């Protein structure tokens, strides 16, 4: 069952109204990471709640309690649960999105006011914070719902919604809510599959379905030495210097080519077979895409498959920096007393922080012992999350493939993402159903960067894609 | 010719008045590194000039021009040149000191207001910023002059003075002044030796004469990669990461035991012969002194001679930190686009920045080439200075030894300092005469730290030492 032509026309006809509504949403600076904007996050939740109710969704605001940020105790913005449709003969789809955004200041390098949606008529770009991450996709669902409500058309599936206002700040309180509502009798009881639109195409040309995300383990290695910072003139070559030991340790974690030197970590991941390599081979991508995104000729390889597998299906180890050392401009002759190296490993199945951390810790401890220093070592895990990979042959993905073909006239690329969206795994594990990542925006949207944008065509065709996906879901052979 | 008993009694009798004068000087927050205190540095110079004139010194304030600090153009505080005595039959001694101080805030951890000289009656400590570095020693000379002026006694030597207000901020403008005034007809023409009281005893017990200072070369190694900071989820294992390359380079400079790994640098310094080892063997010192000063059990060795030579007569390499990497608290998953490692090497004869830098640069470049990375490398020298070693058997040192024995009843330890006082070398090279460092304070004075102090006995006996040194100079066989 393809989407009704009437729906597609409705979207085209109402495109300008949809963009106007997106402008309204972007104008609310719902920055979850900034305490002074907490009221705006709440306001944005209320705005969304009002619009959901206006198109026939029954909602419930869920108080997620309090948390501490920058030493201040704050109320968490409520999450919004929504439901529409209870037809036992239809599939039930859970939609997730978030209504908070990353910080943005004109002075960061924005060409326009970040909280005024600016339409660049020449490029078709809708520029503003949250346009692509994640207000555009959330409003895409509103657009789909508006058609059915306004035209009094029944939706082809039952829908459940879960919208949060803390995604950009660790999704505090959400895991508990999802686990609670996934139980029998909970809000998500009876959900057959999940769809999340909160990532991006690999490039600017080809639609994407995403079936994997890397996990993460973030570690802090601290070397403790003298009781206070020392002057290198007075103490140089008389004491064990913590920086020397820390740099020695950090140099043993990863090589310039990206190989992880911790025994057992890279080895834990099986090589890709021919079938899997073909997925990467088929993707519309080139090393020039990564170099253009990175802003420099620094790709590890020109081999497309190796590059894509480096991002999507192999672990990576990045050294982020050092806390406690001299980090300012100029020349300070300090011997820092206590320094902490920060690094993280992106994880892929079967790796988890629980499996990988002990390997890392015992390796670092044994390398540190070889240094024969009188300084001491501590290692902490700052945070982490498991990787996620879904079955991309599932009917949930099949429906999205058909919808993509119908709307864009081309097959979607099947991708895995290098980063993590932790709630994906929570849905997969709590509901034990297939989770699909169905991105609306392009790879160059600049989600967490300056001049974030969503292309007009991605918003409008993306709205058609979301609606069409629901019709294809209803149609496809599968559970229900 | 020992100092007259009358002088020693005068110092004891006037001790409280001398301390009161020191309190006046400490009360002027002459912080040269803080633009908002520049007027206080000038005020301190005027205070000193007034006091010098009051005890019979002819002075001249020298405008050193302007400089830029923190992006602001500022007038440099004037230097003070002084002279008293022109007796051709007497030796002429040049005295150097500085009237500016390091920054200090109560909130840094001071137990008392740093700019109120606080007398701890139980310990005899005079606590306040500048008490030991360098207002105490400068006022020691004032005390000596006051006796001769007030009692109408001729000084045993001719004196020339050079006092500056920028020592804590790179002595801007001073080198030019010293070179200019060292020429025939200049203010320092005819000077036979130099005495600088601006360092410290090795411990808290034994007076010291210092005959060597290490030099310095401070380098910044920058690795340039992507055009902007990247997210490790998206880019991890797809690009050459500048941090990985920089850490690899930094790990190849020095080992945990303090050995410099750059070929040719350690090797450039000859081993100590038995005679030199005996100097270190004779010093009143133990590895416990360094551990107590460092605030932790981190001495490289318990061997006193090796430890002292590590500080005084071998080069050292310290890694200070990284600019451009993540240095805050918490966990940021950034791949920094451009990172600069900062390190410095303390130099000893025959090393100079001109000789050592090319070795360092070519070694780093060859190690970087081995990394086989597409990132690029630049190396800058941020600043540097040559080491200095004086002949400690010179009559200038002999006079100071006799004075020490007379005042303290014990022979001074002969030391070299690990750090640098760049003007020392300028005096030695411009005047081509012997330079003596004759410290007043103790090793635990905390010159650049919180709760800086000068012990009352060091101020009072130190004043006697400075005066006695002049009489021993007059007496001793030597030039003039
Ligand atoms: Zn998002
Ligand atoms: Zn985001
Ligand atoms: Zn000083
Ligand atoms: Zn100083």
């Amino acid at each position: 069952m393809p989407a009704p032509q009437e729906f597609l026309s409705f979207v085209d006809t109402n495109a300008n109204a949809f963009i106007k509504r997106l402008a309204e949403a972007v104008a609310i600076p719902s920055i979850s990471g900034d305490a002074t904007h907490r009221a705006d996050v709440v306001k944005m939740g209320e705005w969304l709640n009002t619009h959901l109710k206006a198109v026939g969704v029954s909602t419930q605001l869920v108080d997620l309690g309090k948390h501490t940020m920058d030493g201040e105790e704050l109320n968490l913005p409520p999450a919004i649960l929504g439901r529409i449709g209870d037809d036992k003969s239809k599939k039930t789809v859970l939609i997730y999105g978030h209504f908070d955004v990353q910080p943005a200041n004109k002075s960061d390098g924005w060409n326009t006011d970040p909280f005024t949606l600016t339409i660049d008529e020449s490029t078709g770009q809708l520029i503003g914070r949250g346009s692509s991450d994640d207000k555009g996709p959330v409003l895409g669902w509103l657009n789909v719902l508006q058609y059915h409500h306004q035209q009094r058309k029944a939706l082809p599936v039952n829908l459940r919604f879960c919208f949060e206002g803390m995604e950009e700040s660790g999704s505090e309180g959400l895991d508990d809510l999802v686990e609670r509502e996934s139980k029998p009798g909970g809000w998500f009881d009876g959900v057959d599959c999940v769809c999340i639109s909160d990532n991006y195409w690999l490039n600017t040309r080809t639609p994407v379905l995403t079936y994997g995300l890397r996990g993460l383990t973030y570690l802090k290695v601290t070397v403790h030495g003298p009781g206070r910072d020392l002057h290198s003139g007075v103490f140089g070559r008389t004491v064990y210097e913590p920086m020397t030991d820390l740099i020695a340790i950090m140099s043993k974690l990863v090589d310039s080519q990206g190989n992880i030197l911790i025994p057992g970590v890279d080895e834990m991941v099986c090589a890709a077979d021919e079938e899997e390599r073909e997925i990467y081979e088929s993707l519309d991508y080139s090393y020039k895409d990564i170099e253009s995104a990175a802003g420099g000729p620094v790709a590890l390889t020109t081999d497309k498959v190796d590059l894509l597998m480096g991002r999507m299906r192999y672990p990576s180890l990045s050294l982020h920096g050092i806390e406690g050392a001299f980090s300012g401009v100029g020349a300070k002759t300090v011997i820092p007393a206590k320094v902490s190296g920060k690094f993280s490993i992106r994880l892929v199945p079967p790796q988890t922080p629980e499996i990988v951390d002990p390997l890392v810790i015992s390796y670092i401890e044994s390398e540190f012992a070889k240094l024969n220093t009188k300084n001491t070592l501590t290692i902490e895990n700052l945070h982490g999350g498991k990787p996620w990979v879904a079955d991309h042959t599932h009917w949930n993905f099949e429906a999205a493939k058909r919808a993509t073909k119908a709307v864009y006239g081309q097959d979607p690329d099947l991708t895995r993402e290098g980063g993590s969206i932790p709630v994906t795994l929570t849905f997969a594990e709590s509901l034990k159903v297939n989770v699909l990542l169905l991105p609306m925006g392009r790879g160059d949207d600049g989600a967490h960067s300056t001049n974030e944008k969503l292309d007009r065509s991605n918003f409008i065709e993306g709205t058609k894609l979301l609606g069409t996906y629901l019709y294809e879901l209803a149609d496809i052979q599968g559970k229900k």
Side-chain angles (χ1 to χ4, degrees), chain A residues 46-216:
Chain A
E46 285 160 1
W47 183 97
L48 179 57
N49 186 41
T50 302
H51 283 265
L52 286 167
K53 290 197 288 189
V55 293
V57 180
S58 310
T59 65
Q60 184 190 319
L61 295 186
V62 183
D63 181 359
L64 297 175
K66 293 173 189 295
H67 76 137
T68 303
M69 195 168 72
D70 303 335
E72 195 183 341
E73 194 180 59
L74 296 168
N75 288 317
L76 288 163
I80 303 173
L81 299 179
R83 61 190 302 143
I84 181 166
D86 265 311
D87 186 334
K88 298 273 182 252
S89 70
K90 293 178 178 171
K91 293 193 180 80
T92 300
V93 186
L94 171 60
I95 307 295
Y96 163 87
H98 65 90
F99 53 85
D100 61 321
V101 298
Q102 283 279 321
N105 288 297
K106 184 95 166 51
S107 62
D108 296 341
W110 284 75
N111 299 324
T112 57
D113 173 34
F115 296 103
T116 302
L117 190 76
T118 305
I119 304 169
D120 184 327
E121 296 294 351
S122 67
T123 61
Q125 291 180 350
L126 314 175
I127 302 155
R129 174 56 86 223
S131 57
S132 182
D133 180 18
D134 188 33
K135 290 177 175 176
V138 167
L139 269 68
W141 293 113
L142 272 187
N143 300 342
V144 171
L145 292 165
Q146 187 186 334
Y147 162 75
H148 292 87
H149 186 72
Q150 204 164 306
Q151 307 302 114
R152 300 179 188 282
K153 300 275 182 190
L155 281 153
V157 294
N158 306 313
L159 290 176
R160 301 292 176 265
F161 296 96
C162 177
F163 293 119
E164 66 158 326
M166 283 298 288
E167 198 276 341
E168 303 293 4
S169 301
S171 292
E172 295 225 28
L174 194 73
D175 278 0
D176 287 350
L177 174 70
V178 170
E179 283 161 22
R180 197 167 62 236
E181 297 299 341
S182 297
K183 291 188 178 138
W187 196 272
F188 307 145
D189 192 9
V191 162
D192 297 303
C193 64
V194 179
C195 178
I196 299 176
S197 186
D198 189 24
N199 65 311
Y200 310 92
W201 297 357
L202 194 52
N203 53 42
T204 60
R205 305 172 295 272
T206 313
V208 147
L209 309 183
T210 301
Y211 67 99
L213 295 168
R214 293 196 288 194
L216 179 76

Side-chain angles (χ1 to χ4, degrees), chain A residues 2-12 147:
Chain A
Q5 184 56 45
E6 195 195 44
F7 163 69
L8 304 175
S9 306
F10 180 91
V11 174
D12 284 327
Y147 162 75

Side-chain angles (χ1 to χ4, degrees), chain A residues 213-221 253 260 262 265 268 315-320 341-348 351-361 364 379-387 418-420 422:
Chain A
L213 295 168
R214 293 196 288 194
L216 179 76
T217 185
Y218 198 112
L219 294 151
K220 177 179 172 181
V221 179
L253 301 176
I260 298 176
I262 302 157
V265 173
M268 203 178 293
S316 65
L317 191 155
S318 295
L319 305 172
H320 305 301
K342 313 272 183 82
F343 69 95
S344 66
I345 308 178
R346 298 280 164 180
L347 305 174
V348 297
Q351 300 171 326
T352 63
E354 290 66 34
I355 295 170
V356 169
D357 282 4
L359 295 178
V360 179
I361 291 167
I364 290 178
I379 308 174
E380 287 166 82
N381 181 308
L382 296 189
H383 70 85
K386 288 189 271 191
S420 46

